[in-house]
Amino acid sequence: MERIYNFSPGPAVLPREVLEQASDELMNWNGCGMSVMEMSHRGKDFGSILESAEADLGILLGIPPGYRTLFLQGGATMQFAQVPMNLLAGGSADYVVTGDWSKKACKEARRHGAVRQVADTEADGFTSLPSWSELDLDPDAAYLHLCTNETIRGVEVFDFDSLPAGVPLVADMSSHILSRPMDVSRFGLIYAGAQKNIGPAGICLVIVHEDLLGKAAEGIPSLLDYALQAENHSMVNTPPTFAIYMAGLVFKWLIRQGGLKAMERVNLRKAQLLYDLIDGSGFYNNPVRPDCRSRMNVPFTLRDPKLDETFLAEARLHGILQIKGHKSVGGMRASIYNAMPQEGVHALADFMAEFQRKHG
Ligand code: PMP
């Protein structure tokens, strides 16, 4: 069967070449006579897979010395708890709420200690970002948490340089990591669930500065202690080996594409095509403030929501799938991660224009 264009927010489309390589290597990885799924995580074969994945990620993101890269489990949701468990150290943290995910992160953190919510854009329907310089921040906070791309509403932070300095920044980058060059040194800790721009579900990437290690609350499960995971190369227990292998293939694919600068150029073009069409249509609408519209997740509504089901049914006939918006927002959402080819976005734009001609 021919592949369709998959606009899912995650688990999301993977690069075709990566799937083909994984398929070729499935039964017999690198001549060792077994699948990656079947090999010991302590053996030298898997050791080399993990090492390459880490090294390639370091090259792609330009991770500076002093940071540790961890491949953990429990998804980004586990990080909502694991971050405060490891970093609060009896102090307090500041949280910026700009969408459903940072709201969840803030709520979860409250279970683990003192948290101040220092911004909340819910009043405008999560369609904007706060003015960073006007936030009432605690200079003694253990960290400041934010989500740099809100997957559901499609709100993205572009200018990392203007983010507050002073306390370590902790960022949930699940849905836009690797979509463009990112200055890791601005952050104390970055986390990202894998199933959007990294690989299959099952791993959560954590990049943490060594200064933040060793502050874990007493009594937390050893599996959740960043310092212990760093000491054990993410292998306090058996890691999701196949998912790490797949992430490694995606990192190599990104390097072959020309790295994150090249990805940014393509991602910009893809997003611009959709936003221009939406804004010029008088039929589709995206309510997010233009300077913080996500390049990865493009939510939009139709003028008449009664047309939603027809849109979805006709889209399917054009090979356009998993584009239904989140239930809290309605309408549609086109998630156009790195692995969504430009042809896919063109196919969507052509279909949207045709749909409007027919039903508008
Ligand atoms: N943060 C963001 C920004 C997300 O988009 C998601 C999932 N869509 C999560 C956190 C939760 O991730 P997980 O399901 O891997 O726990």
Side-chain angles (χ1 to χ4, degrees), residues 9-10 12-15 57 60 149 173-180 182 192-200 247 250-251 253-254 260 263 267 270 296 336-340:
V13 57
L14 283 162
L57 182 72
L60 280 166
N149 187 65
M173 295 196 182
S174 295
S175 47
H176 75 158
I177 194 157
L178 300 172
S179 65
R180 57 184 161 91
M182 290 170 165
Q195 64 272 21
K196 296 146 196 311
N197 251 349
I198 294 175
V250 171
F251 299 155
W253 177 80
L254 285 170
L260 301 191
M263 291 320 297
N267 286 329
K270 291 190 305 192
M296 295 286 101
I336 49 175
Y337 300 119
N338 285 337
M340 168 56 66

Side-chain angles (χ1 to χ4, degrees), residues 272-289:
Q272 200 63 51
L273 180 69
L274 292 185
Y275 286 119
D276 283 351
L277 183 143
I278 290 166
D279 289 344
S281 71
F283 181 77
Y284 300 107
N285 181 53
N286 171 286
V288 178
R289 209 174 69 196

Side-chain angles (χ1 to χ4, degrees), residues 79-80 83-84 88 93-97 102 105-110 114-120 143-146 170 191:
Q79 294 310 309
F80 295 168
V83 163
L88 268 181
D94 284 351
Y95 275 69
V96 172
V97 173
S102 46
C106 182
K107 186 172 174 208
E108 179 70 20
R110 288 191 197 284
V115 162
R116 292 186 337 133
Q117 191 177 305
V118 293
D120 182 357
Y143 61 88
L144 171 67
H145 181 281
L146 70 159
V170 172
Y191 63 91

Side-chain angles (χ1 to χ4, degrees), residues 2-35:
E2 212 13 70
R3 279 170 62 78
I4 49 79
Y5 291 122
N6 175 4
F7 291 91
S8 167
V13 57
L14 283 162
R16 186 186 184 108
E17 285 170 45
V18 165
L19 292 174
E20 281 169 351
Q21 187 180 348
S23 157
D24 288 346
E25 296 177 345
L26 191 70
M27 299 295 278
N28 182 358
W29 182 81
N30 202 26
C32 76
M34 62 178 110
S35 169

